[in-house]
Amino acid sequence: MSSEMNPRTPKIETKLPAVGTTIFTVMSALATEHNAVNLGQGFPDFNCDPALVQAVTDAMQQGLNQYPPMPGIPALREAVATKIKALHAREYSAATEITITAGATQGIITAILAVVRPGDEVIVLEPCYDSYVPNIELAGGTVVRVPLTPHTFRPDFDKIAAAITPKTRAILVNSPHNPSATIWSRGDMLQLQDLLAPTEILLISDEVYEHMVFDGRQHESAARYPGLAARAFIVSSFGKTYHVTGWKVGTVVAPTPLMAEFRKVHQFNVFTVNTPVQHGLARYMADPTPYLELPAFYQRKRDLFRAGLAATKFKLLPSEGSYFQCVDISDVSDLSEADFCQWLTKEIGVAAIPLSAFYGDGFDQRVVRFCFAKKDETLQAALARLAKL
Ligand SMILES: Cc1ncc(COP(=O)(O)O)c(C=O)c1O
């Protein structure tokens, strides 16, 4: 038989044997199937500011549709530098220390690929965002999981210190935190700074929820701490800040020698990012009001949602930042977190995410996560259903 008659796809060995369909996809599909209110996946169900859409549209109509410079258009990098200086009193060079990325996700994997070599260890604090572990594995690194304290989700610096070895290349920190909605305090950041000071360990600081901090708290960016900023890739997301998660545009800032390595990888894994969106964002960022008003915008939604949940048997955990609210389910059900989320979606008609999905070993502490980045009517529809519990 000729080879044309017998086409054959070569067998490949997976590089990521533990990766399957994510819990977010599973729960969103289940929510659609059962017509449930989807408070599972973390994205807004409302539109962004029409002025932002107009700014991008204008850029397209002005013909700004070809490749931009590799690290991003200068105007957007300048706008990011101005913002960081205003908020955190640190100067980053738009020329050599700021790169526009295809969302925070590409920023994180690019930072990891730039610095992690086979045999290096990278510390992640569990529960953690689902891309970190496969990113480290793709770089050939070894994942070292350190748990945040169950239920309070505070960092345990003794445990982190004990996990450090001569092979530790980097630590990933995320504040405000997905999924727990906790934020790191100044004291936490100072402890991290002291811990890392005598080491060569790099920090990858995932700060995508930087503008969602509540009750008058301050977002403690790594940029505020000289000892951390000097060793940090700081990752942000325009998608989160401006309600445009589908645009997938973010930023990474880092000191020049780190950013030089970052850009070597960025140049060949994405090269550069959507031109008109960058121009639109640069123009829109001239006014800081939208991100300055974001804490109040989400705090009101958080309070609306928490007030409704107070009438249920859920025990509410604090929500200090991000757009998530975690609840303890132990007074409502004996089911595991994962089974409870399935049941809640099918029987009550509200989708949530089990925290066990954010742990490598599926650790179950009877806590599930809701996303409140939703229209008030969506939250009210969910609360009306949850009132049965
Ligand atoms: C902690 C965390 N990091 C990164 C991301 C990804 O952000 P982006 O959509 O900008 O890639 C998310 C999105 O959910 C997140 O929760």
mmCIF file with all atom_site columns, all heavy atoms in Angstrom, residues 42 102-106 108 129 132 174 176 178 206 208-209 236-240 245 248-250 323-324, ligand 1:
data_model
loop_
_atom_site.group_PDB
_atom_site.id
_atom_site.type_symbol
_atom_site.label_atom_id
_atom_site.label_alt_id
_atom_site.label_comp_id
_atom_site.label_asym_id
_atom_site.label_entity_id
_atom_site.label_seq_id
_atom_site.pdbx_PDB_ins_code
_atom_site.Cartn_x
_atom_site.Cartn_y
_atom_site.Cartn_z
_atom_site.occupancy
_atom_site.B_iso_or_equiv
_atom_site.pdbx_formal_charge
_atom_site.auth_seq_id
_atom_site.auth_comp_id
_atom_site.auth_asym_id
_atom_site.auth_atom_id
_atom_site.pdbx_PDB_model_num
ATOM   1   N N   . GLY A 1 42  ? -13.792 33.207 36.336 1.00 0.00 ? 42  GLY A N   1
ATOM   2   C CA  . GLY A 1 42  ? -13.556 34.591 36.747 1.00 0.00 ? 42  GLY A CA  1
ATOM   3   C C   . GLY A 1 42  ? -13.497 35.566 35.592 1.00 0.00 ? 42  GLY A C   1
ATOM   4   O O   . GLY A 1 42  ? -12.407 35.890 35.104 1.00 0.00 ? 42  GLY A O   1
ATOM   5   N N   . ALA A 1 102 ? 0.848   39.295 25.830 1.00 0.00 ? 102 ALA A N   1
ATOM   6   C CA  . ALA A 1 102 ? -0.456  38.773 25.432 1.00 0.00 ? 102 ALA A CA  1
ATOM   7   C C   . ALA A 1 102 ? -1.162  38.247 26.686 1.00 0.00 ? 102 ALA A C   1
ATOM   8   O O   . ALA A 1 102 ? -1.301  37.039 26.901 1.00 0.00 ? 102 ALA A O   1
ATOM   9   C CB  . ALA A 1 102 ? -0.294  37.682 24.388 1.00 0.00 ? 102 ALA A CB  1
ATOM   10  N N   . GLY A 1 103 ? -1.554  39.158 27.544 1.00 0.00 ? 103 GLY A N   1
ATOM   11  C CA  . GLY A 1 103 ? -2.169  38.804 28.826 1.00 0.00 ? 103 GLY A CA  1
ATOM   12  C C   . GLY A 1 103 ? -1.105  38.457 29.856 1.00 0.00 ? 103 GLY A C   1
ATOM   13  O O   . GLY A 1 103 ? 0.081   38.252 29.530 1.00 0.00 ? 103 GLY A O   1
ATOM   14  N N   . ALA A 1 104 ? -1.552  38.408 31.108 1.00 0.00 ? 104 ALA A N   1
ATOM   15  C CA  . ALA A 1 104 ? -0.644  38.013 32.180 1.00 0.00 ? 104 ALA A CA  1
ATOM   16  C C   . ALA A 1 104 ? -0.138  36.596 31.947 1.00 0.00 ? 104 ALA A C   1
ATOM   17  O O   . ALA A 1 104 ? 1.009   36.271 32.268 1.00 0.00 ? 104 ALA A O   1
ATOM   18  C CB  . ALA A 1 104 ? -1.363  38.097 33.528 1.00 0.00 ? 104 ALA A CB  1
ATOM   19  N N   . THR A 1 105 ? -0.978  35.744 31.364 1.00 0.00 ? 105 THR A N   1
ATOM   20  C CA  . THR A 1 105 ? -0.614  34.339 31.165 1.00 0.00 ? 105 THR A CA  1
ATOM   21  C C   . THR A 1 105 ? 0.671   34.212 30.352 1.00 0.00 ? 105 THR A C   1
ATOM   22  O O   . THR A 1 105 ? 1.579   33.464 30.732 1.00 0.00 ? 105 THR A O   1
ATOM   23  C CB  . THR A 1 105 ? -1.762  33.603 30.433 1.00 0.00 ? 105 THR A CB  1
ATOM   24  O OG1 . THR A 1 105 ? -2.988  33.925 31.104 1.00 0.00 ? 105 THR A OG1 1
ATOM   25  C CG2 . THR A 1 105 ? -1.563  32.119 30.419 1.00 0.00 ? 105 THR A CG2 1
ATOM   26  N N   . GLN A 1 106 ? 0.753   34.957 29.260 1.00 0.00 ? 106 GLN A N   1
ATOM   27  C CA  . GLN A 1 106 ? 1.977   34.888 28.452 1.00 0.00 ? 106 GLN A CA  1
ATOM   28  C C   . GLN A 1 106 ? 3.139   35.563 29.166 1.00 0.00 ? 106 GLN A C   1
ATOM   29  O O   . GLN A 1 106 ? 4.288   35.151 29.027 1.00 0.00 ? 106 GLN A O   1
ATOM   30  C CB  . GLN A 1 106 ? 1.746   35.518 27.066 1.00 0.00 ? 106 GLN A CB  1
ATOM   31  C CG  . GLN A 1 106 ? 2.941   35.369 26.131 1.00 0.00 ? 106 GLN A CG  1
ATOM   32  C CD  . GLN A 1 106 ? 3.621   36.702 25.840 1.00 0.00 ? 106 GLN A CD  1
ATOM   33  O OE1 . GLN A 1 106 ? 2.969   37.745 25.792 1.00 0.00 ? 106 GLN A OE1 1
ATOM   34  N NE2 . GLN A 1 106 ? 4.925   36.677 25.644 1.00 0.00 ? 106 GLN A NE2 1
ATOM   35  N N   . ILE A 1 108 ? 3.679   35.448 32.378 1.00 0.00 ? 108 ILE A N   1
ATOM   36  C CA  . ILE A 1 108 ? 4.183   34.513 33.397 1.00 0.00 ? 108 ILE A CA  1
ATOM   37  C C   . ILE A 1 108 ? 5.003   33.399 32.745 1.00 0.00 ? 108 ILE A C   1
ATOM   38  O O   . ILE A 1 108 ? 6.125   33.103 33.169 1.00 0.00 ? 108 ILE A O   1
ATOM   39  C CB  . ILE A 1 108 ? 3.006   33.941 34.223 1.00 0.00 ? 108 ILE A CB  1
ATOM   40  C CG1 . ILE A 1 108 ? 2.336   35.063 35.039 1.00 0.00 ? 108 ILE A CG1 1
ATOM   41  C CG2 . ILE A 1 108 ? 3.482   32.809 35.150 1.00 0.00 ? 108 ILE A CG2 1
ATOM   42  C CD1 . ILE A 1 108 ? 0.972   34.701 35.599 1.00 0.00 ? 108 ILE A CD1 1
ATOM   43  N N   . TYR A 1 129 ? -2.981  29.642 40.984 1.00 0.00 ? 129 TYR A N   1
ATOM   44  C CA  . TYR A 1 129 ? -3.526  29.760 39.625 1.00 0.00 ? 129 TYR A CA  1
ATOM   45  C C   . TYR A 1 129 ? -2.992  28.613 38.764 1.00 0.00 ? 129 TYR A C   1
ATOM   46  O O   . TYR A 1 129 ? -1.831  28.219 38.886 1.00 0.00 ? 129 TYR A O   1
ATOM   47  C CB  . TYR A 1 129 ? -3.116  31.121 39.059 1.00 0.00 ? 129 TYR A CB  1
ATOM   48  C CG  . TYR A 1 129 ? -3.704  31.412 37.715 1.00 0.00 ? 129 TYR A CG  1
ATOM   49  C CD1 . TYR A 1 129 ? -5.079  31.468 37.535 1.00 0.00 ? 129 TYR A CD1 1
ATOM   50  C CD2 . TYR A 1 129 ? -2.890  31.627 36.611 1.00 0.00 ? 129 TYR A CD2 1
ATOM   51  C CE1 . TYR A 1 129 ? -5.624  31.727 36.292 1.00 0.00 ? 129 TYR A CE1 1
ATOM   52  C CE2 . TYR A 1 129 ? -3.429  31.904 35.367 1.00 0.00 ? 129 TYR A CE2 1
ATOM   53  C CZ  . TYR A 1 129 ? -4.797  31.945 35.217 1.00 0.00 ? 129 TYR A CZ  1
ATOM   54  O OH  . TYR A 1 129 ? -5.328  32.196 33.988 1.00 0.00 ? 129 TYR A OH  1
ATOM   55  N N   . TYR A 1 132 ? 0.642   28.083 36.570 1.00 0.00 ? 132 TYR A N   1
ATOM   56  C CA  . TYR A 1 132 ? 2.018   28.124 37.088 1.00 0.00 ? 132 TYR A CA  1
ATOM   57  C C   . TYR A 1 132 ? 2.736   26.776 36.955 1.00 0.00 ? 132 TYR A C   1
ATOM   58  O O   . TYR A 1 132 ? 3.879   26.714 36.501 1.00 0.00 ? 132 TYR A O   1
ATOM   59  C CB  . TYR A 1 132 ? 2.054   28.523 38.569 1.00 0.00 ? 132 TYR A CB  1
ATOM   60  C CG  . TYR A 1 132 ? 1.453   29.863 38.958 1.00 0.00 ? 132 TYR A CG  1
ATOM   61  C CD1 . TYR A 1 132 ? 1.198   30.145 40.301 1.00 0.00 ? 132 TYR A CD1 1
ATOM   62  C CD2 . TYR A 1 132 ? 1.152   30.841 38.018 1.00 0.00 ? 132 TYR A CD2 1
ATOM   63  C CE1 . TYR A 1 132 ? 0.663   31.366 40.694 1.00 0.00 ? 132 TYR A CE1 1
ATOM   64  C CE2 . TYR A 1 132 ? 0.610   32.056 38.404 1.00 0.00 ? 132 TYR A CE2 1
ATOM   65  C CZ  . TYR A 1 132 ? 0.363   32.313 39.748 1.00 0.00 ? 132 TYR A CZ  1
ATOM   66  O OH  . TYR A 1 132 ? -0.171  33.509 40.139 1.00 0.00 ? 132 TYR A OH  1
ATOM   67  N N   . ASN A 1 174 ? 1.257   35.632 44.436 1.00 0.00 ? 174 ASN A N   1
ATOM   68  C CA  . ASN A 1 174 ? 0.078   36.242 43.812 1.00 0.00 ? 174 ASN A CA  1
ATOM   69  C C   . ASN A 1 174 ? -0.748  36.986 44.868 1.00 0.00 ? 174 ASN A C   1
ATOM   70  O O   . ASN A 1 174 ? -1.316  36.379 45.755 1.00 0.00 ? 174 ASN A O   1
ATOM   71  C CB  . ASN A 1 174 ? -0.764  35.129 43.152 1.00 0.00 ? 174 ASN A CB  1
ATOM   72  C CG  . ASN A 1 174 ? -2.148  35.574 42.715 1.00 0.00 ? 174 ASN A CG  1
ATOM   73  O OD1 . ASN A 1 174 ? -3.116  34.818 42.846 1.00 0.00 ? 174 ASN A OD1 1
ATOM   74  N ND2 . ASN A 1 174 ? -2.264  36.760 42.200 1.00 0.00 ? 174 ASN A ND2 1
ATOM   75  N N   . PRO A 1 176 ? -3.403  40.663 45.041 1.00 0.00 ? 176 PRO A N   1
ATOM   76  C CA  . PRO A 1 176 ? -4.503  39.913 45.638 1.00 0.00 ? 176 PRO A CA  1
ATOM   77  C C   . PRO A 1 176 ? -4.599  38.511 45.030 1.00 0.00 ? 176 PRO A C   1
ATOM   78  O O   . PRO A 1 176 ? -4.273  38.310 43.873 1.00 0.00 ? 176 PRO A O   1
ATOM   79  C CB  . PRO A 1 176 ? -5.730  40.748 45.303 1.00 0.00 ? 176 PRO A CB  1
ATOM   80  C CG  . PRO A 1 176 ? -5.206  42.145 45.149 1.00 0.00 ? 176 PRO A CG  1
ATOM   81  C CD  . PRO A 1 176 ? -3.855  41.984 44.544 1.00 0.00 ? 176 PRO A CD  1
ATOM   82  N N   . ASN A 1 178 ? -5.916  34.841 43.864 1.00 0.00 ? 178 ASN A N   1
ATOM   83  C CA  . ASN A 1 178 ? -6.893  33.920 43.302 1.00 0.00 ? 178 ASN A CA  1
ATOM   84  C C   . ASN A 1 178 ? -6.462  32.517 43.718 1.00 0.00 ? 178 ASN A C   1
ATOM   85  O O   . ASN A 1 178 ? -5.327  32.142 43.416 1.00 0.00 ? 178 ASN A O   1
ATOM   86  C CB  . ASN A 1 178 ? -6.895  34.043 41.770 1.00 0.00 ? 178 ASN A CB  1
ATOM   87  C CG  . ASN A 1 178 ? -7.811  33.039 41.103 1.00 0.00 ? 178 ASN A CG  1
ATOM   88  O OD1 . ASN A 1 178 ? -8.633  32.409 41.754 1.00 0.00 ? 178 ASN A OD1 1
ATOM   89  N ND2 . ASN A 1 178 ? -7.648  32.884 39.797 1.00 0.00 ? 178 ASN A ND2 1
ATOM   90  N N   . ASP A 1 206 ? 2.647   37.972 40.637 1.00 0.00 ? 206 ASP A N   1
ATOM   91  C CA  . ASP A 1 206 ? 1.431   38.024 39.827 1.00 0.00 ? 206 ASP A CA  1
ATOM   92  C C   . ASP A 1 206 ? 0.467   38.990 40.508 1.00 0.00 ? 206 ASP A C   1
ATOM   93  O O   . ASP A 1 206 ? -0.129  38.674 41.536 1.00 0.00 ? 206 ASP A O   1
ATOM   94  C CB  . ASP A 1 206 ? 0.843   36.605 39.728 1.00 0.00 ? 206 ASP A CB  1
ATOM   95  C CG  . ASP A 1 206 ? -0.427  36.551 38.896 1.00 0.00 ? 206 ASP A CG  1
ATOM   96  O OD1 . ASP A 1 206 ? -1.029  37.608 38.632 1.00 0.00 ? 206 ASP A OD1 1
ATOM   97  O OD2 . ASP A 1 206 ? -0.834  35.424 38.539 1.00 0.00 ? 206 ASP A OD2 1
ATOM   98  N N   . VAL A 1 208 ? -2.249  40.639 39.015 1.00 0.00 ? 208 VAL A N   1
ATOM   99  C CA  . VAL A 1 208 ? -3.319  40.972 38.054 1.00 0.00 ? 208 VAL A CA  1
ATOM   100 C C   . VAL A 1 208 ? -4.538  41.614 38.715 1.00 0.00 ? 208 VAL A C   1
ATOM   101 O O   . VAL A 1 208 ? -5.286  42.338 38.059 1.00 0.00 ? 208 VAL A O   1
ATOM   102 C CB  . VAL A 1 208 ? -3.773  39.752 37.199 1.00 0.00 ? 208 VAL A CB  1
ATOM   103 C CG1 . VAL A 1 208 ? -2.622  39.188 36.385 1.00 0.00 ? 208 VAL A CG1 1
ATOM   104 C CG2 . VAL A 1 208 ? -4.430  38.675 38.030 1.00 0.00 ? 208 VAL A CG2 1
ATOM   105 N N   . TYR A 1 209 ? -4.738  41.372 40.012 1.00 0.00 ? 209 TYR A N   1
ATOM   106 C CA  . TYR A 1 209 ? -5.892  41.987 40.694 1.00 0.00 ? 209 TYR A CA  1
ATOM   107 C C   . TYR A 1 209 ? -5.473  43.235 41.473 1.00 0.00 ? 209 TYR A C   1
ATOM   108 O O   . TYR A 1 209 ? -6.105  43.611 42.460 1.00 0.00 ? 209 TYR A O   1
ATOM   109 C CB  . TYR A 1 209 ? -6.570  40.956 41.609 1.00 0.00 ? 209 TYR A CB  1
ATOM   110 C CG  . TYR A 1 209 ? -7.075  39.761 40.856 1.00 0.00 ? 209 TYR A CG  1
ATOM   111 C CD1 . TYR A 1 209 ? -6.394  38.536 40.890 1.00 0.00 ? 209 TYR A CD1 1
ATOM   112 C CD2 . TYR A 1 209 ? -8.213  39.833 40.058 1.00 0.00 ? 209 TYR A CD2 1
ATOM   113 C CE1 . TYR A 1 209 ? -6.840  37.440 40.166 1.00 0.00 ? 209 TYR A CE1 1
ATOM   114 C CE2 . TYR A 1 209 ? -8.663  38.751 39.321 1.00 0.00 ? 209 TYR A CE2 1
ATOM   115 C CZ  . TYR A 1 209 ? -7.969  37.557 39.377 1.00 0.00 ? 209 TYR A CZ  1
ATOM   116 O OH  . TYR A 1 209 ? -8.417  36.482 38.652 1.00 0.00 ? 209 TYR A OH  1
ATOM   117 N N   . SER A 1 236 ? 1.045   42.253 35.310 1.00 0.00 ? 236 SER A N   1
ATOM   118 C CA  . SER A 1 236 ? -0.270  42.907 35.401 1.00 0.00 ? 236 SER A CA  1
ATOM   119 C C   . SER A 1 236 ? -1.131  42.493 34.214 1.00 0.00 ? 236 SER A C   1
ATOM   120 O O   . SER A 1 236 ? -0.616  41.968 33.231 1.00 0.00 ? 236 SER A O   1
ATOM   121 C CB  . SER A 1 236 ? -0.118  44.431 35.366 1.00 0.00 ? 236 SER A CB  1
ATOM   122 O OG  . SER A 1 236 ? 0.669   44.890 36.426 1.00 0.00 ? 236 SER A OG  1
ATOM   123 N N   . SER A 1 237 ? -2.433  42.798 34.318 1.00 0.00 ? 237 SER A N   1
ATOM   124 C CA  . SER A 1 237 ? -3.362  42.418 33.250 1.00 0.00 ? 237 SER A CA  1
ATOM   125 C C   . SER A 1 237 ? -4.336  43.556 32.965 1.00 0.00 ? 237 SER A C   1
ATOM   126 O O   . SER A 1 237 ? -5.130  43.926 33.836 1.00 0.00 ? 237 SER A O   1
ATOM   127 C CB  . SER A 1 237 ? -4.144  41.169 33.674 1.00 0.00 ? 237 SER A CB  1
ATOM   128 O OG  . SER A 1 237 ? -5.197  40.917 32.777 1.00 0.00 ? 237 SER A OG  1
ATOM   129 N N   . PHE A 1 238 ? -4.287  44.101 31.756 1.00 0.00 ? 238 PHE A N   1
ATOM   130 C CA  . PHE A 1 238 ? -5.298  45.094 31.388 1.00 0.00 ? 238 PHE A CA  1
ATOM   131 C C   . PHE A 1 238 ? -6.681  44.449 31.346 1.00 0.00 ? 238 PHE A C   1
ATOM   132 O O   . PHE A 1 238 ? -7.687  45.102 31.586 1.00 0.00 ? 238 PHE A O   1
ATOM   133 C CB  . PHE A 1 238 ? -4.996  45.690 30.006 1.00 0.00 ? 238 PHE A CB  1
ATOM   134 C CG  . PHE A 1 238 ? -3.735  46.501 29.966 1.00 0.00 ? 238 PHE A CG  1
ATOM   135 C CD1 . PHE A 1 238 ? -2.610  46.030 29.296 1.00 0.00 ? 238 PHE A CD1 1
ATOM   136 C CD2 . PHE A 1 238 ? -3.658  47.727 30.596 1.00 0.00 ? 238 PHE A CD2 1
ATOM   137 C CE1 . PHE A 1 238 ? -1.442  46.780 29.246 1.00 0.00 ? 238 PHE A CE1 1
ATOM   138 C CE2 . PHE A 1 238 ? -2.491  48.478 30.554 1.00 0.00 ? 238 PHE A CE2 1
ATOM   139 C CZ  . PHE A 1 238 ? -1.380  48.001 29.889 1.00 0.00 ? 238 PHE A CZ  1
ATOM   140 N N   . GLY A 1 239 ? -6.717  43.158 31.017 1.00 0.00 ? 239 GLY A N   1
ATOM   141 C CA  . GLY A 1 239 ? -7.991  42.451 30.942 1.00 0.00 ? 239 GLY A CA  1
ATOM   142 C C   . GLY A 1 239 ? -8.765  42.537 32.246 1.00 0.00 ? 239 GLY A C   1
ATOM   143 O O   . GLY A 1 239 ? -9.983  42.765 32.251 1.00 0.00 ? 239 GLY A O   1
ATOM   144 N N   . LYS A 1 240 ? -8.057  42.345 33.362 1.00 0.00 ? 240 LYS A N   1
ATOM   145 C CA  . LYS A 1 240 ? -8.723  42.395 34.672 1.00 0.00 ? 240 LYS A CA  1
ATOM   146 C C   . LYS A 1 240 ? -9.097  43.828 35.017 1.00 0.00 ? 240 LYS A C   1
ATOM   147 O O   . LYS A 1 240 ? -10.193 44.092 35.507 1.00 0.00 ? 240 LYS A O   1
ATOM   148 C CB  . LYS A 1 240 ? -7.781  41.867 35.759 1.00 0.00 ? 240 LYS A CB  1
ATOM   149 C CG  . LYS A 1 240 ? -7.268  40.466 35.517 1.00 0.00 ? 240 LYS A CG  1
ATOM   150 C CD  . LYS A 1 240 ? -8.328  39.435 35.751 1.00 0.00 ? 240 LYS A CD  1
ATOM   151 C CE  . LYS A 1 240 ? -7.743  38.048 35.520 1.00 0.00 ? 240 LYS A CE  1
ATOM   152 N NZ  . LYS A 1 240 ? -8.742  37.007 35.463 1.00 0.00 ? 240 LYS A NZ  1
ATOM   153 N N   . THR A 1 245 ? -11.265 40.874 29.615 1.00 0.00 ? 245 THR A N   1
ATOM   154 C CA  . THR A 1 245 ? -10.414 39.682 29.758 1.00 0.00 ? 245 THR A CA  1
ATOM   155 C C   . THR A 1 245 ? -10.145 39.020 28.414 1.00 0.00 ? 245 THR A C   1
ATOM   156 O O   . THR A 1 245 ? -9.100  38.395 28.229 1.00 0.00 ? 245 THR A O   1
ATOM   157 C CB  . THR A 1 245 ? -11.043 38.660 30.725 1.00 0.00 ? 245 THR A CB  1
ATOM   158 O OG1 . THR A 1 245 ? -12.329 38.299 30.218 1.00 0.00 ? 245 THR A OG1 1
ATOM   159 C CG2 . THR A 1 245 ? -11.189 39.225 32.130 1.00 0.00 ? 245 THR A CG2 1
ATOM   160 N N   . LYS A 1 248 ? -6.855  39.890 26.179 1.00 0.00 ? 248 LYS A N   1
ATOM   161 C CA  . LYS A 1 248 ? -5.571  39.242 26.487 1.00 0.00 ? 248 LYS A CA  1
ATOM   162 C C   . LYS A 1 248 ? -4.379  40.179 26.253 1.00 0.00 ? 248 LYS A C   1
ATOM   163 O O   . LYS A 1 248 ? -3.525  39.949 25.394 1.00 0.00 ? 248 LYS A O   1
ATOM   164 C CB  . LYS A 1 248 ? -5.404  37.954 25.655 1.00 0.00 ? 248 LYS A CB  1
ATOM   165 C CG  . LYS A 1 248 ? -6.417  36.863 25.948 1.00 0.00 ? 248 LYS A CG  1
ATOM   166 C CD  . LYS A 1 248 ? -6.387  36.352 27.366 1.00 0.00 ? 248 LYS A CD  1
ATOM   167 C CE  . LYS A 1 248 ? -5.106  35.639 27.710 1.00 0.00 ? 248 LYS A CE  1
ATOM   168 N NZ  . LYS A 1 248 ? -5.176  35.089 29.100 1.00 0.00 ? 248 LYS A NZ  1
ATOM   169 N N   . VAL A 1 249 ? -4.351  41.246 27.011 1.00 0.00 ? 249 VAL A N   1
ATOM   170 C CA  . VAL A 1 249 ? -3.199  42.143 26.983 1.00 0.00 ? 249 VAL A CA  1
ATOM   171 C C   . VAL A 1 249 ? -2.768  42.423 28.413 1.00 0.00 ? 249 VAL A C   1
ATOM   172 O O   . VAL A 1 249 ? -3.607  42.686 29.282 1.00 0.00 ? 249 VAL A O   1
ATOM   173 C CB  . VAL A 1 249 ? -3.516  43.470 26.254 1.00 0.00 ? 249 VAL A CB  1
ATOM   174 C CG1 . VAL A 1 249 ? -2.253  44.337 26.149 1.00 0.00 ? 249 VAL A CG1 1
ATOM   175 C CG2 . VAL A 1 249 ? -4.036  43.200 24.856 1.00 0.00 ? 249 VAL A CG2 1
ATOM   176 N N   . GLY A 1 250 ? -1.490  42.321 28.671 1.00 0.00 ? 250 GLY A N   1
ATOM   177 C CA  . GLY A 1 250 ? -0.952  42.565 30.005 1.00 0.00 ? 250 GLY A CA  1
ATOM   178 C C   . GLY A 1 250 ? 0.407   43.233 29.928 1.00 0.00 ? 250 GLY A C   1
ATOM   179 O O   . GLY A 1 250 ? 0.845   43.685 28.855 1.00 0.00 ? 250 GLY A O   1
ATOM   180 N N   . TYR A 1 323 ? -11.776 39.606 42.672 1.00 0.00 ? 323 TYR A N   1
ATOM   181 C CA  . TYR A 1 323 ? -13.243 39.645 42.570 1.00 0.00 ? 323 TYR A CA  1
ATOM   182 C C   . TYR A 1 323 ? -13.850 38.301 42.961 1.00 0.00 ? 323 TYR A C   1
ATOM   183 O O   . TYR A 1 323 ? -14.827 37.864 42.376 1.00 0.00 ? 323 TYR A O   1
ATOM   184 C CB  . TYR A 1 323 ? -13.739 40.163 41.218 1.00 0.00 ? 323 TYR A CB  1
ATOM   185 C CG  . TYR A 1 323 ? -13.091 39.653 39.938 1.00 0.00 ? 323 TYR A CG  1
ATOM   186 C CD1 . TYR A 1 323 ? -12.807 38.313 39.725 1.00 0.00 ? 323 TYR A CD1 1
ATOM   187 C CD2 . TYR A 1 323 ? -12.843 40.563 38.902 1.00 0.00 ? 323 TYR A CD2 1
ATOM   188 C CE1 . TYR A 1 323 ? -12.272 37.887 38.530 1.00 0.00 ? 323 TYR A CE1 1
ATOM   189 C CE2 . TYR A 1 323 ? -12.297 40.143 37.697 1.00 0.00 ? 323 TYR A CE2 1
ATOM   190 C CZ  . TYR A 1 323 ? -12.016 38.797 37.523 1.00 0.00 ? 323 TYR A CZ  1
ATOM   191 O OH  . TYR A 1 323 ? -11.489 38.370 36.330 1.00 0.00 ? 323 TYR A OH  1
ATOM   192 N N   . PHE A 1 324 ? -13.244 37.700 43.981 1.00 0.00 ? 324 PHE A N   1
ATOM   193 C CA  . PHE A 1 324 ? -13.727 36.402 44.452 1.00 0.00 ? 324 PHE A CA  1
ATOM   194 C C   . PHE A 1 324 ? -14.217 36.470 45.899 1.00 0.00 ? 324 PHE A C   1
ATOM   195 O O   . PHE A 1 324 ? -13.736 37.280 46.699 1.00 0.00 ? 324 PHE A O   1
ATOM   196 C CB  . PHE A 1 324 ? -12.608 35.358 44.344 1.00 0.00 ? 324 PHE A CB  1
ATOM   197 C CG  . PHE A 1 324 ? -12.106 35.192 42.935 1.00 0.00 ? 324 PHE A CG  1
ATOM   198 C CD1 . PHE A 1 324 ? -10.804 35.543 42.595 1.00 0.00 ? 324 PHE A CD1 1
ATOM   199 C CD2 . PHE A 1 324 ? -12.939 34.704 41.930 1.00 0.00 ? 324 PHE A CD2 1
ATOM   200 C CE1 . PHE A 1 324 ? -10.349 35.419 41.294 1.00 0.00 ? 324 PHE A CE1 1
ATOM   201 C CE2 . PHE A 1 324 ? -12.485 34.574 40.624 1.00 0.00 ? 324 PHE A CE2 1
ATOM   202 C CZ  . PHE A 1 324 ? -11.175 34.935 40.305 1.00 0.00 ? 324 PHE A CZ  1
HETATM 203 C C1  . LIG B 2 .   ? -3.953  34.918 39.397 1.00 0.00 ? 1   LIG B C1  1
HETATM 204 C C2  . LIG B 2 .   ? -4.112  35.083 37.923 1.00 0.00 ? 1   LIG B C2  1
HETATM 205 N N1  . LIG B 2 .   ? -3.023  35.259 37.169 1.00 0.00 ? 1   LIG B N1  1
HETATM 206 C C3  . LIG B 2 .   ? -3.114  35.415 35.838 1.00 0.00 ? 1   LIG B C3  1
HETATM 207 C C4  . LIG B 2 .   ? -4.341  35.390 35.192 1.00 0.00 ? 1   LIG B C4  1
HETATM 208 C C5  . LIG B 2 .   ? -4.385  35.527 33.694 1.00 0.00 ? 1   LIG B C5  1
HETATM 209 O O1  . LIG B 2 .   ? -4.577  36.846 33.274 1.00 0.00 ? 1   LIG B O1  1
HETATM 210 P P1  . LIG B 2 .   ? -4.725  37.196 31.705 1.00 0.00 ? 1   LIG B P1  1
HETATM 211 O O2  . LIG B 2 .   ? -6.141  36.965 31.322 1.00 0.00 ? 1   LIG B O2  1
HETATM 212 O O3  . LIG B 2 .   ? -4.318  38.633 31.601 1.00 0.00 ? 1   LIG B O3  1
HETATM 213 O O4  . LIG B 2 .   ? -3.801  36.290 30.974 1.00 0.00 ? 1   LIG B O4  1
HETATM 214 C C6  . LIG B 2 .   ? -5.497  35.187 35.945 1.00 0.00 ? 1   LIG B C6  1
HETATM 215 C C7  . LIG B 2 .   ? -6.815  35.107 35.271 1.00 0.00 ? 1   LIG B C7  1
HETATM 216 O O5  . LIG B 2 .   ? -7.757  34.555 35.787 1.00 0.00 ? 1   LIG B O5  1
HETATM 217 C C8  . LIG B 2 .   ? -5.379  35.038 37.345 1.00 0.00 ? 1   LIG B C8  1
HETATM 218 O O6  . LIG B 2 .   ? -6.460  34.838 38.107 1.00 0.00 ? 1   LIG B O6  1
#
